Amino acid sequence: MELEKSLTSGSMPLLVLKLLEDRDLYGYQMIAELRRRSDGTFRLKAGTLYPLLHGLEQRGLVTAYERTAESGKTRRYYHLTKQGQNALQEKENAWHAYAQAVGRVLKGGAYLA
């Protein structure tokens, strides 16, 4: 099932930050890992990812550095900063609250005792 762009665009910063929570990654790794973790639902393109990463970097949520791979190719890796960790936690909390509210509406509403 293909998701509407309006459903995914707002969640991409959260998902990218989450990918960087455990280890530094370069762009292609993020694209592949997002696809893997979502069972193919999220198919992020480089043209979408790199502007997003640039914006996260400008806001101080990630930093970037270059490292040469065994193949000799230089790759740009991204690292989650402390500020990015805090933002990730806030975004996760907001997402869970939003998802619960949507779930309640889809089930007919919240019932107050």
Short mmCIF file of all heavy atoms in Angstrom, two decimals, residues 20 24-25 53 56-57 60-65 76-81:
data_model
loop_
_atom_site.label_atom_id
_atom_site.label_comp_id
_atom_site.label_asym_id
_atom_site.label_seq_id
_atom_site.Cartn_x
_atom_site.Cartn_y
_atom_site.Cartn_z
N LEU A 20 19.30 7.56 13.39
CA LEU A 20 20.63 7.96 13.87
C LEU A 20 20.81 7.78 15.38
O LEU A 20 21.87 8.07 15.92
CB LEU A 20 20.90 9.42 13.49
CG LEU A 20 20.99 9.69 11.99
CD1 LEU A 20 21.04 11.18 11.72
CD2 LEU A 20 22.19 8.97 11.39
N ASP A 24 25.95 6.25 13.70
CA ASP A 24 26.10 7.19 12.60
C ASP A 24 25.88 6.45 11.29
O ASP A 24 26.30 5.30 11.14
CB ASP A 24 27.49 7.82 12.62
CG ASP A 24 27.76 8.62 13.89
OD1 ASP A 24 26.83 8.79 14.69
OD2 ASP A 24 28.91 9.07 14.05
N LEU A 25 25.24 7.11 10.35
CA LEU A 25 24.95 6.51 9.05
C LEU A 25 25.23 7.51 7.93
O LEU A 25 25.17 8.72 8.15
CB LEU A 25 23.48 6.10 8.97
CG LEU A 25 22.96 5.07 9.97
CD1 LEU A 25 21.45 5.00 9.92
CD2 LEU A 25 23.58 3.71 9.69
N LEU A 53 18.32 16.39 5.76
CA LEU A 53 19.52 16.32 6.59
C LEU A 53 20.18 17.69 6.73
O LEU A 53 20.65 18.05 7.82
CB LEU A 53 20.52 15.31 6.00
CG LEU A 53 20.16 13.85 6.17
CD1 LEU A 53 21.05 12.98 5.29
CD2 LEU A 53 20.25 13.43 7.63
N LEU A 56 18.25 19.61 9.29
CA LEU A 56 18.52 19.11 10.64
C LEU A 56 19.89 19.56 11.11
O LEU A 56 20.09 19.89 12.29
CB LEU A 56 18.43 17.58 10.66
CG LEU A 56 17.04 16.97 10.42
CD1 LEU A 56 17.14 15.45 10.30
CD2 LEU A 56 16.07 17.37 11.52
N GLU A 57 20.84 19.61 10.18
CA GLU A 57 22.19 20.06 10.51
C GLU A 57 22.18 21.56 10.85
O GLU A 57 22.81 21.98 11.84
CB GLU A 57 23.12 19.79 9.33
CG GLU A 57 24.57 19.91 9.65
CD GLU A 57 25.47 19.47 8.49
OE1 GLU A 57 24.98 19.19 7.38
OE2 GLU A 57 26.69 19.42 8.73
N GLY A 60 21.12 22.18 14.29
CA GLY A 60 21.99 21.63 15.33
C GLY A 60 21.57 20.27 15.85
O GLY A 60 22.05 19.82 16.88
N LEU A 61 20.68 19.59 15.12
CA LEU A 61 20.18 18.29 15.57
C LEU A 61 21.07 17.15 15.12
O LEU A 61 21.09 16.08 15.74
CB LEU A 61 18.74 18.07 15.08
CG LEU A 61 17.74 19.16 15.49
CD1 LEU A 61 16.34 18.82 14.99
CD2 LEU A 61 17.75 19.40 16.98
N VAL A 62 21.80 17.37 14.02
CA VAL A 62 22.78 16.40 13.55
C VAL A 62 24.05 17.14 13.13
O VAL A 62 24.00 18.34 12.83
CB VAL A 62 22.26 15.54 12.35
CG1 VAL A 62 21.00 14.77 12.71
CG2 VAL A 62 22.04 16.38 11.12
N THR A 63 25.15 16.42 13.15
CA THR A 63 26.40 16.93 12.59
C THR A 63 26.84 15.95 11.51
O THR A 63 26.43 14.78 11.52
CB THR A 63 27.51 17.06 13.65
OG1 THR A 63 27.73 15.79 14.26
CG2 THR A 63 27.14 18.08 14.71
N ALA A 64 27.67 16.42 10.62
CA ALA A 64 28.15 15.57 9.53
C ALA A 64 29.67 15.57 9.52
O ALA A 64 30.31 16.55 9.90
CB ALA A 64 27.62 16.08 8.20
N TYR A 65 30.22 14.44 9.10
CA TYR A 65 31.67 14.33 8.94
C TYR A 65 31.93 13.35 7.81
O TYR A 65 31.05 12.54 7.47
CB TYR A 65 32.34 13.86 10.24
CG TYR A 65 31.88 12.50 10.72
CD1 TYR A 65 32.57 11.34 10.35
CD2 TYR A 65 30.77 12.37 11.54
CE1 TYR A 65 32.15 10.09 10.78
CE2 TYR A 65 30.35 11.13 11.97
CZ TYR A 65 31.04 9.99 11.61
OH TYR A 65 30.61 8.75 12.03
N ARG A 76 29.82 10.76 3.54
CA ARG A 76 29.44 11.77 4.53
C ARG A 76 28.49 11.10 5.53
O ARG A 76 27.38 10.71 5.18
CB ARG A 76 28.76 12.94 3.84
CG ARG A 76 28.50 14.12 4.74
CD ARG A 76 28.09 15.33 3.89
NE ARG A 76 27.78 16.47 4.70
CZ ARG A 76 28.67 17.35 5.12
NH1 ARG A 76 29.94 17.20 4.81
NH2 ARG A 76 28.31 18.38 5.86
N TYR A 77 28.96 10.98 6.75
CA TYR A 77 28.18 10.35 7.83
C TYR A 77 27.49 11.42 8.66
O TYR A 77 28.00 12.54 8.81
CB TYR A 77 29.10 9.52 8.74
CG TYR A 77 29.52 8.22 8.13
CD1 TYR A 77 30.57 8.16 7.22
CD2 TYR A 77 28.87 7.03 8.46
CE1 TYR A 77 30.96 6.97 6.66
CE2 TYR A 77 29.26 5.83 7.90
CZ TYR A 77 30.30 5.80 7.00
OH TYR A 77 30.68 4.61 6.44
N TYR A 78 26.36 11.04 9.23
CA TYR A 78 25.58 11.95 10.06
C TYR A 78 25.49 11.39 11.47
O TYR A 78 25.34 10.18 11.66
CB TYR A 78 24.19 12.16 9.46
CG TYR A 78 24.28 12.90 8.15
CD1 TYR A 78 24.49 12.22 6.97
CD2 TYR A 78 24.22 14.29 8.11
CE1 TYR A 78 24.63 12.89 5.77
CE2 TYR A 78 24.36 14.98 6.92
CZ TYR A 78 24.56 14.26 5.75
OH TYR A 78 24.70 14.93 4.57
N HIS A 79 25.61 12.30 12.44
CA HIS A 79 25.65 11.94 13.85
C HIS A 79 24.58 12.74 14.60
O HIS A 79 24.45 13.94 14.39
CB HIS A 79 27.04 12.26 14.42
CG HIS A 79 27.14 12.09 15.89
ND1 HIS A 79 27.30 10.86 16.48
CD2 HIS A 79 27.09 13.00 16.90
CE1 HIS A 79 27.35 11.02 17.79
NE2 HIS A 79 27.23 12.30 18.07
N LEU A 80 23.83 12.07 15.45
CA LEU A 80 22.80 12.72 16.26
C LEU A 80 23.47 13.45 17.43
O LEU A 80 24.19 12.85 18.21
CB LEU A 80 21.83 11.65 16.78
CG LEU A 80 20.58 12.13 17.50
CD1 LEU A 80 19.67 12.90 16.53
CD2 LEU A 80 19.82 10.93 18.06
N THR A 81 23.22 14.74 17.55
CA THR A 81 23.78 15.54 18.63
C THR A 81 22.93 15.38 19.89
O THR A 81 21.84 14.80 19.85
CB THR A 81 23.82 17.03 18.25
OG1 THR A 81 22.46 17.49 18.09
CG2 THR A 81 24.62 17.27 16.98
#
